[in-house]
């Protein structure tokens, strides 16, 4: 299911709404800040005037050298833009508000930046910004802190498929909102949001009884608060849940009851979900004609919105099989091509093969079917030579992609085995993990680097103690901070590390952290349950992105793959022991 966009220009809606008439350009610069903000809100359809207001606000703030007002001026500009331009203004908001201790900023700016990055499918960066927003909101605005926590959970469950991790966050939010006055519109909406998210997450995990429990709670709350759209969404979500329970007739009643209201509210994401689950219900009842009719509606909505998640893609498998049985090769090829396009798009956007697509209709099978169809259609002269040429190019592209993925998987497996073999040979020691780079011999005592030999020995001894005490796990280590600790020149440390460790200082620190992480992940299976962000903090990195990058640079594989392979290895060992 998709979630309603309940966050819209958060900080601008924190004030009472007052109507103002048109104000001339000349008068704008003399108006108080709050008045300018109110006019900005009122004229949301007059972009030209809003730009003039934002400009007047910003100039006034800069003349007064007022950091938080400057930040809010830039925020107005961010609201008027999207994509990278909006991010540019949001970065300025963060710059001017970060030391102001304001109740809303920079948390709001980090949140909005997270949403912009999410829309660009930059999920790791989006999460990093949501986490920063959460950090600042925790200091000054506890309500907003939980709103951000909810946003992080949605991103994890909807976009990254990390449903279990998201569940823990949803539960924290629910616990918080239960303590609030739920008759207050703000808290009631967030309470219903969280109930819906919990129900949907349990449905995704196929824990249908838990999903029903939260759907019923949400239905009762939405009925009590007369929230029509959420009332319909809870009915729809339970209808989808009933499909999983194979109670198809009851499911149809629920979905048909919810759908008209969802259409009225122009909620295209959940309209698509409704048609998909209608199709699945009719499929379960053996009514292929009505199943096809609804799956085609799903495809029509996808054509319009260009947005679909793996949850709703299996309808294409049904369409392909149906038209194959009918001998309708034109439609079979049409939906097969669409299905493959969605598969490749999801792979690109989510940075991994979608397990659902792989399970139901894996790529090699798709290629084989497609080639057969093309040959058949060519012999029957049902398509043009240009069409065949285009399909041939698509097939070649997909085949190349398949070969590339196979080779990549093989390379990853080889890299994983090298890491395991190396650590087996030196279990309790931190050793260099082999990678594509040639490690320079650590003992370069004969090399003259322009530093007294005695001093070089002292610094190398201190580096040895630094490594043995695992001080590299401290975050924000720089060559400057370490030189202060060693009471020496930072240039000396840099040069000695370059020469005797064969790498830059940053690479040296990162490699030590990754080598330690590899050993700990093998020893402690509890660590494998951590999120990548949590692991990054555990091993001295500031965010998940920098940890993943350093891990890949050192080992040639991503940490998620390494952890997954370790889990598989552990299960195989347990299985073999039980057989013996």
């Amino acid at each position: 299911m998709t979630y309603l966009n309940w966050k819209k220009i958060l900080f601008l809606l924190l004030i009472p709404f007052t109507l103002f008439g048109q104000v001339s350009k000349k008068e704008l610069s003399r108006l108080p800040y709050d008045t300018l903000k109110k006019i900005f809100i009122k004229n949301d359809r007059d972009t030209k005037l809003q730009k003039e207001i934002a400009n007047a606000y910003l100039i006034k703030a800069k003349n007064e050298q007022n950091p938080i007002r400057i930040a809010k001026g830039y925020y107005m500009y961010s609201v008027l833009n999207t994509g990278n331009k909006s991010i540019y203004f949001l970065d300025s908001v963060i710059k001017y508000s970060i030391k102001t201790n304001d109740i809303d900023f920079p948390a709001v700016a980090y949140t909005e930046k997270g949403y912009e990055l999410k829309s660009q499918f930059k999920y790791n960066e989006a999460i990093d910004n949501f986490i920063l927003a959460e950090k600042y909101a925790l200091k000054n605005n506890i309500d907003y802190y939980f709103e951000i926590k909810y946003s992080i959970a949605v991103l994890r469950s909807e976009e990254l498929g990390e449903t279990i991790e998201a569940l823990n966050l949803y539960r924290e939010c629910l616990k918080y909102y239960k303590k609030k006055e739920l008759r207050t519109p703000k808290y009631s909406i967030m309470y219903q949001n969280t109930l819906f998210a919990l129900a949907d997450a349990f449905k995704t995990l196929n824990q249908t009884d838990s999903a029903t429990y939260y759907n019923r709670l949400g239905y009762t709350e939405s009925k009590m608060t007369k929230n029509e759209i959420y009332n319909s969404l809870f009915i729809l979500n339970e209808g989808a849940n009933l499909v999983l329970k194979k109670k198809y007739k009851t499911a149809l009643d629920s979905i048909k009851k919810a759908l008209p209201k969802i259409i009225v509210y122009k909620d295209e994401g959940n309209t698509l979900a409704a048609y998909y689950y209608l199709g699945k219900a009719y499929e379960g009842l053996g009514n292929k004609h009505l199943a096809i009719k609804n799956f085609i509606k799903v495809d029509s909505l996808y054509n319009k919105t260009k947005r679909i998640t793996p949850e709703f893609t299996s309808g294409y498998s049904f369409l392909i099989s149906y038209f194959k049985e009918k001998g309708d090769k034109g439609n079979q090829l049409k939906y097969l091509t669409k299905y493959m396009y969605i598969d490749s798009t999801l792979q690109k956007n989510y940075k991994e093969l979608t397990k659902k697509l792989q399970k139901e209709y894996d790529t090699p099978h798709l290629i084989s079917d497609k080639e057969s169809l093309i040959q058949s259609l060519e012999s029957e002269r049902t398509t043009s030579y240009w069409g065949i040429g285009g399909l041939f190019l698509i097939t070649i592209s997909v085949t190349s992609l398949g070969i590339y993925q196979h080779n990549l998987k093989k390379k990853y497996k080889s890299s994983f085995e090298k890491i395991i073999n190396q650590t087996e040979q030196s279990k309790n020691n931190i050793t260099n993990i082999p990678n594509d780079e040639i490690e320079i011999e650590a003992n370069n005592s004969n090399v003259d680097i322009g530093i007294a030999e005695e001093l070089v020995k002292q610094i190398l001894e201190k580096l040895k103690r630094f490594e043995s005490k695992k001080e590299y796990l401290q975050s924000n280590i720089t060559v400057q901070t370490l030189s202060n600790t060693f009471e020496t020149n930072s240039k000396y440390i840099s040069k000695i590390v370059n020469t005797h460790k064969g790498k830059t200082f940053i690479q040296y620190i990162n490699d030590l952290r990754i080598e330690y992480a590899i050993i700990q992940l093998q020893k402690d299976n509890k660590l494998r349950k951590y999120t990548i962000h949590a692991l990054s903090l555990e091993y001295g990195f500031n965010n998940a992105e920098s940890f993943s990058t350093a891990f890949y640079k050192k080992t040639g594989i991503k940490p998620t793959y390494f952890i997954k392979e370790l889990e598989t290895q552990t299960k195989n060992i347990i299985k073999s022991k039980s057989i013996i």
Side-chain angles (χ1 to χ4, degrees):
M1 295 291 175
T2 59
Y3 300 88
L4 291 181
N5 185 10
W6 54 274
K7 294 170 67 62
K8 194 75 172 173
I9 315 179
L10 288 169
F11 123 82
L12 293 174
L13 296 180
L14 293 172
I15 58 169
F17 192 81
T18 310
L19 296 178
F20 287 84
Q22 289 289 347
V23 181
S24 70
K25 245 184 194 182
K26 194 175 180 181
E27 294 173 306
L28 286 175
S29 60
R30 296 197 293 266
L31 293 174
Y33 290 114
D34 286 347
T35 304
L36 286 169
K37 189 161 69 171
K38 290 172 185 178
I39 301 171
F40 185 93
I41 295 170
K42 182 207 165 186
N43 293 280
D44 61 334
R45 295 184 181 181
D46 189 343
T47 306
K48 185 180 177 182
L49 177 59
Q50 283 190 310
K51 284 181 180 178
E52 290 172 3
I53 294 165
N55 188 53
Y57 193 108
L58 191 55
I59 290 172
K60 182 182 176 75
K62 285 186 174 181
N63 287 337
E64 295 177 6
Q65 296 183 348
N66 187 327
I68 191 58
R69 292 296 184 184
I70 293 172
K72 291 180 179 180
Y74 278 120
Y75 185 79
M76 287 180 173
Y77 273 109
S78 76
V79 170
L80 298 174
N81 291 276
T82 57
N84 290 333
K85 204 163 184 180
S86 179
I87 289 172
Y88 170 82
F89 288 119
L90 288 167
D91 283 336
S92 294
V93 176
I94 293 164
K95 175 184 173 182
Y96 283 98
S97 64
I98 202 159
K99 294 181 180 179
T100 61
N101 206 33
D102 185 75
I103 190 171
D104 300 310
F105 292 104
V108 170
Y110 277 122
T111 303
E112 296 302 323
K113 186 177 175 182
Y115 278 109
E116 289 292 347
L117 290 165
K118 176 186 171 186
S119 70
Q120 297 177 17
F121 304 106
K122 295 177 180 177
Y123 299 122
N124 287 329
E125 292 178 54
I127 286 178
D128 287 342
N129 277 272
F130 284 132
I131 289 168
L132 284 168
E134 188 181 57
K135 172 187 169 184
Y136 283 99
L138 184 59
K139 294 178 183 177
N140 303 316
N141 191 334
I142 194 67
D143 282 350
Y144 194 60
Y145 167 79
F146 278 96
E147 289 174 10
I148 297 162
K149 189 179 287 290
Y150 172 84
S151 298
I152 293 171
V154 170
L155 180 59
R156 285 195 158 180
S157 59
E158 284 289 282
E159 308 294 352
L160 298 179
E162 297 177 355
T163 309
I164 293 172
E165 290 88 346
L167 267 177
N168 294 328
L169 299 178
Y170 288 141
R171 287 188 180 111
E172 287 181 47
C173 292
L174 186 69
K175 186 177 179 181
Y176 177 75
Y177 292 121
K178 272 183 176 179
K179 297 175 183 177
K180 295 295 178 181
E181 177 48 64
L182 294 180
R183 299 290 77 79
T184 305
K186 175 184 175 181
Y187 292 125
S188 179
I189 288 292
M190 285 309 303
Y191 179 60
Q192 290 175 57
N193 272 329
T194 308
L195 290 174
F196 183 82
L198 280 163
D200 199 50
F202 280 116
K203 176 170 67 65
T204 300
L205 295 170
N206 209 27
Q207 296 180 24
T208 53
D209 290 341
S210 295
T212 295
Y213 172 77
Y214 286 108
N215 278 326
R216 285 175 178 169
L217 282 180
Y219 176 83
T220 302
E221 179 66 20
S222 60
K223 197 81 174 172
M224 197 180 301
T225 56
K226 299 179 181 178
N227 188 329
E228 288 186 336
I229 181 60
Y230 260 102
N231 190 254
S232 300
L233 288 178
F234 283 113
I235 294 170
L236 170 63
N237 205 33
E238 185 55 26
N241 197 42
L242 288 165
V243 170
L244 298 182
K245 292 181 177 182
K246 299 184 179 180
K247 298 179 179 180
Y248 301 119
K249 289 184 179 179
T250 315
L252 286 173
D253 291 340
S254 295
I255 298 168
K256 287 178 179 178
K257 182 179 178 182
L259 183 56
K261 188 66 68 177
I262 292 169
I263 293 173
V264 167
Y265 278 88
K266 298 180 180 179
D267 183 354
E268 291 177 332
N270 284 307
T271 301
L272 184 150
Y275 286 132
Y276 171 77
Y277 280 107
L278 282 173
K280 294 301 286 183
Y282 283 121
E283 181 186 348
L285 291 169
N287 191 330
K288 290 186 178 180
H289 175 72
L290 288 178
I292 287 294
K293 185 178 178 181
N294 282 282
F295 288 141
I296 288 173
K297 287 181 180 180
V298 170
D299 180 61
S300 297
L301 275 169
Y302 167 71
N303 289 336
K304 180 181 178 183
T305 62
K306 300 300 178 188
R307 185 85 183 175
I308 195 167
T309 59
E311 181 182 359
F312 308 122
T313 55
S314 69
Y316 285 99
S317 296
F318 191 84
L319 287 168
I320 294 163
S321 298
Y322 177 81
F323 287 115
K324 185 176 182 178
E325 288 175 13
K326 293 289 182 183
D328 187 343
K329 294 176 182 177
N331 272 320
Q332 186 188 352
L333 184 59
K334 172 186 172 182
Y335 291 112
L336 181 55
T337 303
K338 180 71 69 63
Y339 196 22
M340 291 175 74
Y341 174 77
I342 290 170
D343 184 13
S344 64
T345 302
L346 289 173
Q347 288 180 45
K348 179 182 177 183
N349 292 345
Y350 300 129
K351 306 297 182 185
E352 60 179 13
L353 288 171
T354 307
K355 290 179 182 178
K356 190 178 180 70
L357 288 172
Q358 285 281 297
K359 182 180 178 181
E360 293 181 355
Y361 220 88
D362 63 4
T363 302
H365 189 78
L366 290 173
I367 295 169
S368 175
D369 280 2
K370 190 162 190 174
E371 287 173 343
S372 299
L373 277 170
I374 291 170
Q375 290 171 8
S376 176
L377 287 169
E378 184 178 63
S379 64
E380 294 172 12
R381 300 179 183 277
T382 57
T383 185
S384 69
Y385 289 111
W386 283 105
I388 293 293
L391 291 169
F392 176 75
L393 288 173
I394 291 171
T395 304
I396 292 296
S397 299
V398 175
T399 303
S400 299
L401 177 64
I403 293 168
Y404 170 76
Q405 289 168 348
H406 173 74
N407 289 337
L408 188 63
K409 188 176 180 181
K410 193 175 178 182
K411 182 183 175 184
Y412 273 21
K413 188 71 176 176
S414 175
S415 297
F416 174 78
E417 288 170 357
K418 282 183 182 179
I419 295 168
I420 298 301
N421 290 337
Q422 183 70 23
T423 49
E424 277 294 319
Q425 292 169 15
S426 50
K427 277 190 175 180
N428 297 313
N429 299 308
I430 295 177
T431 60
N432 285 324
I433 307 303
N435 60 7
D436 294 333
E437 297 177 18
I438 299 172
E439 297 284 0
I440 297 177
E441 193 73 31
N443 183 16
N444 280 316
S445 56
N446 296 324
V447 178
D448 183 9
I449 57 175
I451 305 173
E453 188 177 340
E454 187 59 32
L455 183 57
V456 172
K457 287 181 179 178
Q458 287 177 13
I459 292 175
L460 285 173
E461 192 60 33
K462 287 179 179 179
L463 285 173
K464 189 176 179 181
R465 286 198 295 271
F466 169 78
E467 292 175 19
S468 66
K469 291 180 179 179
K470 300 178 181 59
E471 291 174 2
Y472 50 79
L473 296 176
Q474 298 170 15
S475 61
N476 301 317
I477 290 177
T478 65
V479 68
Q480 188 60 53
T481 59
L482 195 60
S483 66
N484 291 339
T485 304
F486 286 7
E487 297 180 337
T488 189
N489 191 309
S490 61
K491 290 181 181 179
Y492 290 171
I493 291 181
S494 183
K495 191 175 282 190
I496 289 168
V497 168
N498 290 167
T499 305
H500 290 266
K501 303 295 181 181
K503 56 191 77 175
T504 65
F505 181 79
I506 292 172
Q507 188 183 352
Y508 165 65
I509 296 297
N510 285 348
D511 284 357
L512 285 171
R513 290 168 173 172
I514 297 304
E515 289 160 11
Y516 182 70
I518 286 168
I519 291 172
Q520 292 305 305
L521 285 167
Q522 289 181 72
K523 285 182 178 178
D524 189 355
N525 58 12
K526 290 180 183 177
L527 287 170
R528 299 174 206 163
K529 308 299 181 186
Y530 284 25
T531 64
I532 297 300
H533 178 72
L535 287 172
S536 70
L537 299 178
E538 182 80 12
Y539 299 117
F541 294 90
N542 291 322
N543 53 61
E545 193 74 18
S546 59
F547 174 63
S548 294
T549 301
F551 198 101
Y552 183 85
K553 189 173 181 180
K554 180 67 181 168
T555 66
I557 58 177
K558 291 286 186 181
T560 47
Y561 178 87
F562 180 70
I563 292 167
K564 182 182 174 184
E565 287 298 305
L566 282 177
E567 287 294 283
T568 303
Q569 189 183 67
T570 302
K571 286 176 184 176
N572 289 340
I573 291 169
I574 293 169
K575 188 177 179 181
S576 64
K577 284 182 178 178
S578 64
I579 293 170
I580 294 168

